[in-house]
Amino acid sequence: MQKSDSKTVAGKTISKWIDEVPVIADIMDKRETVWLNTDLLPFEEAILKSELQKKDIKDASDRLRRFASYLKRVFPETAENDGIIESPFCAIPKMKEALEEKYGEKINGELLIKLDSHLAVSGSIKARGGIYEVLCVAERIAMREGGLKETDDYAILADEKYKKIFSKYSIAVGSTGNLGLSIGIMSAKLGFRVTVHMSADARQWKKDMLRSKGVIVKEYENDYSVAVENGRREAENDEFCHFVDDENSKTLFLGYSVAAERLKRQFDEAGIAINKENPLYVYLPCGVGGGPGGVAFGLKMQFGDNVHCFFAEPTESCCMMLGMATGKHNEISVNDFGVENKTIADGLAVGRASGFVGKQMLSFMDGCYSVSDERMSALLKMIADTENIKLEPSALAGMFGPVSLSKKLGKLPRGYHLVWATGGSMVPSDEYKKYYEQGEKVIDNGNI
Ligand SMILES: *Cc1c(COP(=O)(O)O)cnc(C)c1O
């Protein structure tokens, strides 16, 4: 570990930081770790302090319902769900058995998975927030310039009249990949001009797919934050351009949060009751924080103190753990501590967390934990072999949660353990094969 006393980060030397926040030593050594949040509050207290409230989620939910007929018209694959973009959940008993056997920790209760990997339109959790924010922009413009009313059938937004209105406007976003896909596909479909500013580590197939849909893709050699900054600056000088701000957008956050009321309905239909005796533990892969934070916020609204939410991050990029544990949120980055933020989990390759999400969720989250790239690779192979579910590496960060938590606590609390699988169905099969083979190699090497 590098301990430099000359360099300071957010006003303190690194060794002082480690003294005060011991988990930083694990972060610097890129060791898998669990951080339990001592700022967690009982739900009734947390919600009093929360800027966002239930009515904000309802507003988002209602808006998505208004757009359902439009989505059904332009994305026929959403028709079977009546234009509501939602994923199923299911139990994964064979994976549970495999995890227990391999890692020697008992998973007390049922292991469930939420398949956002298979969400319609863009195949990742970004189909929630990303699409929602674009729809918000479209609705505003359509009301102002096209006379759209809330009571109209929104399918008319696919008419030439509205496409022509939208074509005067543009949308821009900086992205590690999946947000770009989601914003790009939705914006182009509505008729907006759309630019996605991408970091160099973004996958080629994502850039190709976007370009094939008429999206302008600009690439940057540096990492994600540089792509975001450039996007933001370009948009600032253009009053007809809306910049989707992944780090600070409450709109994105609320789009994600609607997932919870839908999950509650799915649980009701499946006869699953969440209560004190049967609490819900949720493991959410976290990049900048908006997706998992929004979902967790919604879940707390639905289940209160009976749900326990954890952010899952790569050991190379545990920016949310660092931000929450230090209380410095977006004023601090993993790079400040000599961690490079290089991971195969491209949806999670973020070195600096959203300050808005970190602060908003500090009273609601049970904790954060980290997983190595090797771990995600191994789990990717395991879930394909046991349950025949194909996921991208990022989506596997959640899967190790029950094992990590069991190790940390000595025993896993009984309940439903829900792994949020955040992406994967759009990954081309040759790319997926490489991920799978990587997992095979890691497992054959025997140390994971
Ligand atoms: C974006 C993404 C996440 C995390 O969402 P954030 O809002 O960046 O925290 C997790 N998994 C996948 C596959 C993603 O694309």
Side-chain angles (χ1 to χ4, degrees):
M1 187 194 310
Q2 160 210 352
K3 277 198 189 188
S4 155
D5 272 333
S6 53
K7 190 184 150 199
T8 62
V9 176
K12 286 175 198 167
T13 62
I14 287 187
S15 51
K16 182 136 176 52
W17 271 123
I18 295 171
D19 285 344
E20 289 181 12
V21 185
V23 77
I24 291 179
D26 290 338
I27 294 175
M28 290 179 74
D29 285 350
K30 304 175 193 177
R31 220 183 354 258
E32 291 183 333
T33 191
V34 180
W35 171 76
L36 298 176
N37 178 17
T38 51
D39 288 314
L40 170 70
L41 290 177
F43 177 70
E44 291 304 329
E45 280 176 49
I47 196 63
L48 284 179
K49 295 191 2 180
S50 173
E51 180 195 340
L52 297 170
Q53 295 291 331
K54 216 170 206 161
K55 64 170 178 8
D56 300 307
I57 303 179
K58 180 170 185 301
D59 184 50
S61 173
D62 291 347
R63 183 164 293 106
L64 287 168
R65 203 155 316 134
R66 290 199 290 279
F67 270 99
S69 66
Y70 169 77
L71 292 173
K72 195 167 148 180
R73 178 170 170 194
V74 298
F75 296 117
E77 72 265 35
T78 66
E80 60 179 305
N81 211 4
D82 266 334
I84 296 293
I85 300 172
E86 190 45 72
S87 71
F89 85 92
C90 63
I92 41 172
K94 292 191 214 117
M95 183 64 178
K96 176 183 160 175
E97 218 177 283
L99 284 171
E100 289 180 329
E101 187 182 330
K102 190 163 178 58
Y103 299 113
E105 301 287 333
K106 171 134 182 60
I107 298 174
N108 212 354
E110 214 171 334
L111 186 63
L112 308 174
I113 192 167
K114 181 72 169 151
L115 292 168
D116 276 12
S117 46
H118 293 70
L119 280 172
V121 182
S122 74
S124 81
I125 188 170
K126 304 298 191 309
R128 298 184 185 279
I131 287 176
Y132 176 67
E133 179 149 347
V134 176
L135 297 180
C136 283
V137 175
E139 187 183 56
R140 206 158 51 229
I141 294 170
M143 284 179 169
R144 195 175 61 217
E145 295 187 27
L148 179 76
K149 293 189 297 299
E150 278 191 13
T151 47
D152 284 340
D153 178 348
Y154 278 27
I156 57 171
L157 293 174
D159 294 350
E160 252 341 284
K161 166 185 160 183
Y162 284 102
K163 278 194 158 167
K164 206 167 152 214
I165 293 174
F166 296 142
S167 71
K168 290 188 296 176
Y169 291 86
S170 58
I171 304 237
V173 65
S175 172
T176 53
N178 285 341
L179 184 64
L181 275 188
S182 171
I183 302 279
I185 292 171
M186 189 68 251
S187 304
K189 185 63 88 178
L190 280 155
F192 287 116
R193 285 175 291 129
V194 50
T195 307
V196 177
H197 300 264
M198 277 185 151
S199 47
D201 54 359
R203 302 275 147 189
Q204 190 59 41
W205 68 265
K206 291 182 181 170
K207 299 174 194 169
D208 295 343
M209 180 183 288
L210 283 171
R211 287 185 173 126
S212 79
K213 294 182 192 288
V215 176
I216 302 160
V217 177
K218 288 196 181 172
E219 299 179 55
Y220 298 87
E221 272 316 309
N222 319 57
D223 76 358
Y224 171 75
S225 55
V226 179
V228 172
E229 270 326 299
N230 276 285
R232 194 194 310 273
R233 211 166 323 119
E234 276 193 29
E236 260 168 15
N237 300 324
D238 180 355
E239 61 175 307
F240 287 92
C241 181
H242 176 83
F243 177 69
V244 178
D245 186 346
D246 196 13
E247 288 167 57
N248 300 295
S249 171
K250 286 170 195 152
T251 308
L252 274 178
F253 185 89
L254 290 168
Y256 292 115
S257 72
V258 175
E261 60 175 45
R262 307 213 185 130
L263 180 69
K264 170 73 165 57
R265 213 169 305 134
Q266 291 178 334
F267 275 4
D268 288 347
E269 281 163 17
I272 293 178
I274 302 304
N275 48 43
K276 207 164 179 214
E277 290 68 45
N278 302 287
L280 176 64
Y281 289 80
V282 189
Y283 307 95
L284 296 143
C286 179
V288 72
V295 170
F297 181 64
L299 289 170
K300 293 303 284 189
M301 291 292 183
Q302 289 295 328
F303 303 113
D305 292 325
N306 297 324
V307 64
H308 304 275
C309 300
F310 294 86
F311 286 139
E313 297 174 289
T315 48
E316 277 278 343
S317 318
C318 24
C319 59
M320 189 57 86
M321 183 190 297
L322 181 67
M324 285 183 135
T326 57
K328 291 292 175 192
H329 302 291
N330 58 334
E331 293 164 42
I332 208 162
S333 91
V334 298
N335 304 95
D336 296 336
F337 292 88
V339 179
E340 291 88 2
N341 181 26
K342 286 205 166 34
T343 168
I344 50 161
D346 48 5
L348 312 179
V350 180
R352 187 185 302 275
S354 158
F356 151 60
V357 175
K359 288 169 204 163
Q360 166 70 36
M361 295 310 291
L362 195 59
S363 320
F364 291 103
M365 299 302 295
D366 276 56
C368 304
Y369 66 90
S370 58
V371 288
S372 68
D373 276 20
E374 291 74 21
R375 186 79 65 195
M376 288 183 272
S377 290
L379 293 168
L380 182 144
K381 177 184 185 302
M382 280 168 72
I383 192 145
D385 293 350
T386 54
E387 305 280 354
N388 196 23
I389 296 174
K390 293 189 170 47
L391 300 175
E392 62 183 275
S394 296
L396 275 308
M399 192 60 73
F400 205 56
V403 178
S404 288
L405 197 58
S406 178
K407 284 203 167 100
K408 175 79 178 177
L409 301 176
K411 181 171 179 252
L412 194 64
R414 223 202 90 76
Y416 291 99
H417 295 274
L418 175 67
V419 172
W420 211 278
T422 45
S425 66
M426 302 269 273
V427 177
S429 55
D430 55 330
E431 292 279 328
Y432 180 78
K433 190 157 166 281
K434 283 186 226 156
Y435 288 142
Y436 183 88
E437 285 167 359
Q438 183 65 26
E440 213 158 33
K441 209 155 68 192
V442 166
I443 289 176
D444 287 348
N445 288 344
N447 47 11
I448 213 87

